[in-house]
Every structure is written in structure tokens, then in C-alpha cells.
């Protein structure tokens, strides 16, 4: 079936953010396969609420594609976690500093 590498859940709002973590600075379409697996997303939505965002954490530059795939630099992401300590603020900040398409 598959699994997410990281899931951040907001119990009060009954929603979650899902992440795949890659130990590479390369981008390829297979990296998003687990995040887009309907069996996993249906189960996670049943268990954890609404899905807000799916993203890939990797060692390259942060960017997002027109099809909605988001890549965050893992170091930038972790620094933002420490700084904001709030997933909504963290994601808002990271998205503002993302490039559109690589």
C-alpha cells in the first residue's frame, strides 16, 4: 500500500499535511507516487481528517509545479519548523518563498 514519511495533524481542525522525505537533490515523478496514491489518501483522510497539502522534502531548491506538486528544501523546512512552531504559518512562509516550476 505505502506510507507517508511525515504527517503533521491539527486535531482541532481535523486536517493534516503529508510529506515524503527524499535524500536527494534530484526531482523525478516517482517521488510523488505515494502522496498521490488514492488508497493511502482515502485511509488517511478517514483516520486524520481533511488533507491540506502534500509535499516532498528534499535537498534541492524549493519550488512548486503547475500540477500542484510542491518541493521544499528539507533544511529550510526544518528551520521554519523551529521558527514558526505552527504548521499554517510555516507553510504560508515557505510557499511565499517558493519558485513556480523548476
Amino acid at each position: 500500500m505505502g506510507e507517508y514519511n511525515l504527517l503533521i495533524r491539527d486535531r482541532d481542525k481535523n486536517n493534516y499535511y503529508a510529506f515524503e522525505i527524499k535524500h536527494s537533490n534530484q526531482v523525478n515523478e516517482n517521488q510523488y507516487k505515494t502522496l498521490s496514491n488514492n488508497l493511502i489518501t482515502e485511509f488517511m483522510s478517514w483516520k486524520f481528517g481533511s488533507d491540506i497539502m502534500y509535499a516532498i522534502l528534499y535537498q534541492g531548491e524549493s519550488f512548486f509545479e503547475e500540477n500542484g506538486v510542491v518541493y521544499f528544501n528539507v533544511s529550510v523546512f526544518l528551520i521554519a519548523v523551529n521558527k514558526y512552531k505552527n504548521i499554517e504559518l510555516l507553510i504560508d512562509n515557505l510557499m511565499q518563498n517558493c519558485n513556480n516550476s523548476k
Side-chain angles (χ1 to χ4, degrees):
M1 183 163 148
E3 64 194 34
Y4 299 145
N5 297 127
L6 173 66
L7 185 131
I8 300 174
R9 179 181 184 203
D10 184 331
R11 289 180 190 216
D12 295 334
K13 294 183 179 178
N14 196 34
N15 59 32
Y16 69 91
Y17 297 79
F19 301 90
E20 277 292 305
I21 302 170
K22 303 300 177 186
H23 303 279
S24 169
N25 64 355
Q26 302 299 309
V27 173
N28 75 57
E29 62 189 45
N30 289 329
Q31 293 170 323
Y32 200 72
K33 191 174 6 177
T34 300
L35 294 175
S36 63
N37 182 319
N38 286 336
L39 291 174
I40 298 171
T41 57
E42 287 175 16
F43 174 79
M44 292 300 183
S45 293
W46 171 77
K47 183 96 172 145
F48 299 111
S50 304
D51 56 328
I52 300 298
M53 171 183 259
Y54 300 100
I56 297 167
L57 303 177
Y58 81 130
Q59 296 177 12
E61 272 187 56
S62 297
F63 74 99
F64 62 93
E65 296 180 336
E66 294 296 324
N67 63 6
V69 178
V70 179
Y71 288 80
F72 292 130
N73 176 278
V74 67
S75 297
V76 171
F77 180 85
L78 292 173
I79 290 167
V81 166
N82 188 50
K83 179 177 180 180
Y84 295 103
K85 297 178 177 57
N86 174 301
I87 188 65
E88 290 175 357
L89 292 174
L90 180 153
I91 296 299
D92 285 346
N93 180 269
L94 292 178
M95 289 302 292
Q96 289 175 10
N97 295 310
C98 255
N99 296 322
N100 185 357
S101 294
K102 190 159 184 169

